[in-house]
Amino acid sequence: MKAVEIKKNIYWVGTIDWDLREFHGYLTQRGTTYNAYLIVDEKIVLVDTTRNYLTKEMLLRISSIIDPSKIDYIISNHSEMDHSGALPEMMKVCKNATLLCSPNGEKNLKRHFDARDWNIKIVDNTTKINIGRRELNFVLTQMVHWPDSMATYIPQDKLLLPNDAFGQHIASHERYADEIGFDVVFEEAKKYYANIVMPYASSVNNALNQIDKLDIEMIAPSHGLIWRNEVSRILDGYKKWDSDQTLNKAVIIYDTMWGSTKLIAKAIYEAFDDKNVTVLLRCLKTDHISDIMKDIIDAKYICIGSPTLNGTTLPSVAAFLCYMKGLRPKKRVGLSFGSFGWAGQSTKEIDEIFKVLDFEIWDSIKIEYVPQELFLEKIAQDIKNKLI
Ligand code: FEO
């Protein structure tokens, strides 16, 4: 297990979770990493840890550089257990280590673990800790995405260690975004933002304002690849996503029982396509809700369709609505549609979610049983008229 030197005497000592395919509802097709970083100076510092089942892997990487018992400080930028899971073991191994965390970090860690014997020092935006040639600085990034979240900044190396922010779920042998390709890593960062960070847009804005004041040459997040040549591009991506700017883009999300709702979805697709709006068709039988959230992050039009089943939407559509409601996209136009047999409540339920999210709501499209060609032509024309 090799460590990777990312700056002089600063090493990636994280772990690679090649098999992970689910992360509290998020489909992680590419697996993930839990990035920990070791700073070797007059004092030795470990920044974040890993999930508990990969503790040995991390310890082997640390041991390839130094004896882990010599670690002086362990920084917990975030108490969620993908980064703190190894802390109980590490606090035993590193007997003399001081644990550095935010005020909420201390509270959270004590609610996760038996931390009675841990030497904890609380840090905040004003704290500076000299470790020899370097100084540790901290930026509290509360609610990006937990109350305890913070970033560690090392001015001498122009290195930002922001934990979850700017991360991506990618398991790889490579450590840098440019080694895999910016577009791939950026798409995964966008998915990460859409599924983890999006509900906390105002907190992201605060964090970005603080980070903008720093001189940054490298951003090393706690998941996925490190940004070294593309720092301004990933910062710009976060600023764009955080601002809820949308493109002239529509995403049509639906499920279908006997194909009628799918026919409506395709008619809606044709209408947007005819008006040169970028349009994506996503069927909930085949597309995962976490991938769809990435698609809608910059879409102005969100069209959701479900037939009525037992007086409500299909369960797949209900699950998507629940997920989207929690992630809170803003400033969109919503269009509900669906076929029905006798009552037709599905579109009302979809519109209820659009209302909660404060979308501009277009009149829903409903058809009893099977839509005929004339009906499909009419709804396509109606949408085109709205887009003029
Ligand atoms: Fe990667 Fe919020 O934990």
Side-chain angles (χ1 to χ4, degrees):
M1 294 288 170
K2 278 194 304 187
V4 178
E5 191 173 38
I6 62 163
K7 289 268 183 185
K8 190 164 171 46
N9 292 327
I10 300 181
Y11 301 87
W12 172 85
V13 290
T15 60
I16 309 174
D17 204 343
W18 294 99
D19 304 331
L20 188 86
R21 291 294 177 270
E22 198 274 336
F23 196 95
H24 47 61
Y26 183 140
L27 179 70
T28 50
Q29 299 98 321
R30 296 174 188 268
T32 197
T33 63
Y34 312 106
N35 298 334
Y37 300 95
L38 185 73
I39 305 167
V40 180
D41 207 312
E42 285 169 27
K43 299 284 184 188
I44 296 172
V45 182
L46 177 67
V47 183
D48 291 314
T49 69
T50 183
R51 254 177 131 134
N52 59 1
Y53 57 74
L54 290 166
T55 305
K56 189 172 170 199
E57 183 177 322
M58 184 184 71
L59 274 168
L60 286 169
R61 287 205 167 89
I62 295 170
S63 301
S64 73
I65 305 298
I66 50 117
D67 174 352
S69 70
K70 301 210 177 327
I71 290 173
D72 298 287
Y73 293 110
I74 300 178
I75 299 176
S76 172
N77 279 321
H78 176 32
S79 59
E80 194 162 10
M81 284 190 282
D82 49 335
H83 310 294
S84 67
L87 271 180
E89 178 67 16
M90 292 308 293
M91 293 306 284
K92 278 188 205 148
V93 171
C94 314
K95 289 185 176 49
N96 300 314
T98 300
L99 182 66
L100 306 176
C101 61
S102 68
N104 284 324
E106 184 196 34
K107 206 167 81 181
N108 279 7
L109 289 169
K110 286 181 171 172
R111 287 178 181 165
H112 280 77
F113 307 109
D114 180 357
R116 282 173 294 181
D117 296 333
W118 297 1
N119 181 20
I120 298 178
K121 177 178 164 57
I122 292 174
V123 298
D124 62 24
N125 291 351
T126 64
T127 310
K128 295 184 189 317
I129 296 178
N130 187 288
I131 56 167
R133 194 182 74 76
R134 299 175 178 81
E135 188 179 69
L136 303 174
N137 291 199
F138 306 92
V139 181
L140 300 189
T141 53
Q142 198 169 4
M143 295 318 296
V144 184
H145 66 124
W146 274 23
D148 59 275
S149 299
M150 69 175 193
T152 299
Y153 174 63
I154 302 159
Q156 292 74 16
D157 296 288
K158 301 182 181 180
L159 172 64
L160 184 73
L161 304 159
N163 196 266
D164 281 335
F166 313 112
Q168 340 85 40
H169 283 313
I170 302 178
S172 61
H173 177 249
E174 296 81 0
R175 298 276 65 85
Y176 299 103
D178 53 89
E179 293 177 303
I180 289 198
F182 176 78
D183 290 348
V184 171
V185 184
F186 192 73
E187 277 300 288
E188 289 295 338
K190 187 176 176 184
K191 179 174 173 181
Y192 193 91
Y193 183 95
N195 285 277
I196 304 280
V197 185
M198 186 156 65
Y200 311 108
S202 60
S203 305
V204 176
N205 191 263
N206 289 339
L208 288 171
N209 286 338
Q210 296 188 75
I211 287 168
D212 261 348
K213 293 175 194 146
L214 307 175
D215 187 8
I216 299 172
E217 203 171 76
M218 181 182 283
I219 297 178
S222 60
H223 295 291
L225 286 304
I226 296 168
W227 309 96
R228 59 178 172 184
N229 298 327
E230 318 82 352
V231 165
S232 60
R233 292 171 84 185
I234 183 61
L235 286 171
D236 287 347
Y238 260 60
K239 285 173 192 166
K240 192 170 76 180
W241 302 327
D242 177 56
S243 70
D244 286 303
Q245 282 175 39
T246 53
L247 305 173
N248 195 25
K249 173 180 168 185
V251 184
I252 304 165
I253 305 129
Y254 73 98
D255 201 348
T256 196
M257 280 171 72
W258 293 103
S260 293
T261 300
K262 183 175 183 175
L263 286 173
I264 304 171
K266 288 198 156 181
I268 296 170
Y269 178 95
E270 292 302 328
F272 281 112
D273 186 40
D274 272 4
K275 299 304 283 186
N276 296 318
V277 177
T278 303
V279 56
L280 305 175
L281 200 54
R282 296 292 186 231
C283 177
L284 287 160
K285 286 192 205 309
T286 47
D287 290 294
H288 195 269
I289 55 177
S290 59
D291 287 319
I292 296 172
M293 285 313 302
K294 183 197 72 176
D295 294 330
I296 74 172
I297 194 172
D298 51 9
K300 178 174 179 185
Y301 305 99
I302 313 290
C303 311
I304 303 182
S306 175
T308 295
L309 173 74
N310 301 328
T312 183
T313 63
L314 286 178
S316 56
V317 178
F320 178 74
L321 291 170
C322 171
Y323 194 62
M324 183 178 74
K325 185 176 131 195
L327 291 169
R328 304 200 288 273
K330 294 176 196 72
K331 301 179 193 166
R332 314 300 162 110
V333 175
L335 169 64
S336 64
F337 62 95
S339 72
F340 65 97
W342 47 98
Q345 299 96 327
S346 65
T347 52
K348 187 166 172 283
E349 296 200 7
I350 296 165
D351 284 345
E352 286 300 323
I353 301 296
F354 290 157
K355 257 184 235 158
V356 170
L357 294 171
D358 206 20
F359 286 8
E360 176 188 336
I361 304 173
W362 282 0
D363 291 341
S364 62
I365 300 168
K366 290 163 71 167
I367 185 71
E368 198 172 357
Y369 293 112
V370 180
Q372 302 303 311
E373 202 51 45
L374 271 179
F375 175 83
L376 294 172
E377 284 169 12
K378 181 178 180 313
I379 59 172
Q381 191 54 54
D382 286 349
I383 290 170
K384 284 193 268 186
N385 291 343
K386 283 195 178 94
L387 291 169
I388 286 169

